[in-house]
Amino acid sequence: MTHEERYNLALEISGRLSREMKDNLICFCLYGSTSRGTDTHWSDLEMLMITREEVPKKAFLEGLVPITTNSITEKKLCGILEEPGVEWPFYAGLVKNLVVLEGDASKPEQYYDLARRVCEEKFRRALKENLSELVFESSGRIFSCIARKRYEDIYCAVIETLLEMKTALCLLNCTYVNHDYF
């Protein structure tokens, strides 16, 4: 599937699901490689529904394209963006890079403004509350693998440690991620 075909598929899906959700939908957005124009033949299609009331996540295949429509209520999203925690770096980066397909096109910028207004003290508190889990517990898994002689598990423990340390660094530096894994 080409970029144009994948984008048009996103428009079709967002239109269909938006009609089903009616007044519950605030905005239906595209994110990930398709929104950035860096998708390839093997890319999935990632969309986010921001709603007033909860709706379930939907995941399905369209041809050979995996499609995920995540959802979050506006109240929960704003809570995450106003009070940093382990989810803040992902969601702050996400709202900065959303492409609105349906609904209120001004919402992502409003959400991003919420994230940018968070004071440094809130980040320090979030880091302090999560440091044990993000750094010490995850790096301890590496040493546990060695002590148990489960050397084949070290690779996964290292990846997990790096991802959790990324979150800790984001909180330390009061910043977010632009891609899920970076």
Side-chain angles (χ1 to χ4, degrees):
M1 185 175 281
T2 67
H3 169 72
E4 185 176 306
E5 291 168 330
R6 188 174 281 102
Y7 185 82
N8 288 334
L9 177 60
L11 287 172
E12 177 190 320
I13 292 167
S14 67
R16 184 175 65 232
L17 293 176
S18 296
R19 285 187 296 278
E20 288 176 20
M21 294 177 32
K22 300 179 181 163
D23 292 336
N24 190 27
L25 181 72
I26 294 170
C27 59
F28 199 111
C29 305
L30 180 64
Y31 68 97
S33 62
T34 306
S35 70
R36 292 187 303 271
T38 59
D39 51 318
T40 69
H41 176 74
W42 299 276
S43 294
D44 61 348
L45 187 56
E46 301 163 306
M47 296 177 282
L48 178 69
M49 300 178 283
I50 302 171
T51 58
R52 290 176 179 79
E53 301 294 326
E54 284 189 42
V55 297
K57 169 183 175 174
K58 296 178 186 234
F60 52 96
L61 281 174
E62 185 80 30
L64 295 176
V65 178
I67 298 168
T68 305
T69 57
N70 291 301
S71 66
I72 190 168
T73 65
E74 183 176 56
K75 181 178 179 178
K76 182 175 180 180
L77 178 61
C78 290
I80 290 169
L81 296 173
E82 292 173 323
E83 292 295 327
V86 295
E87 294 179 303
W88 189 92
F90 172 77
Y91 280 101
L94 183 69
V95 297
K96 182 180 186 320
N97 294 297
L98 291 174
V99 173
V100 177
L101 301 174
E102 295 279 338
D104 189 342
S106 68
K107 284 297 191 174
E109 184 64 31
Q110 291 172 23
Y111 302 138
Y112 183 57
D113 285 342
L114 277 179
R116 288 189 309 199
R117 288 196 303 261
V118 175
C119 68
E120 188 174 324
E121 178 54 37
K122 287 185 176 185
F123 286 102
R124 298 295 176 249
R125 185 172 51 244
L127 181 59
K128 185 178 179 182
E129 290 170 2
N130 293 287
L131 193 59
S132 174
E133 175 187 338
L134 291 174
V135 178
F136 298 105
E137 183 179 339
S138 61
S139 61
R141 286 185 203 106
I142 297 169
F143 295 109
S144 292
C145 290
I146 294 167
R148 293 180 186 124
K149 297 184 185 322
R150 298 281 310 203
Y151 304 116
E152 66 276 10
D153 295 339
I154 292 174
Y155 175 76
C156 291
V158 167
I159 297 291
E160 186 175 22
T161 300
L162 291 173
L163 290 172
E164 290 175 349
M165 290 184 93
K166 169 214 45 153
T167 300
L169 286 171
C170 285
L171 294 174
L172 177 66
N173 294 315
C174 309
T175 193
Y176 51 86
V177 293
N178 282 313
H179 294 69
D180 292 355
Y181 302 113
F182 302 110

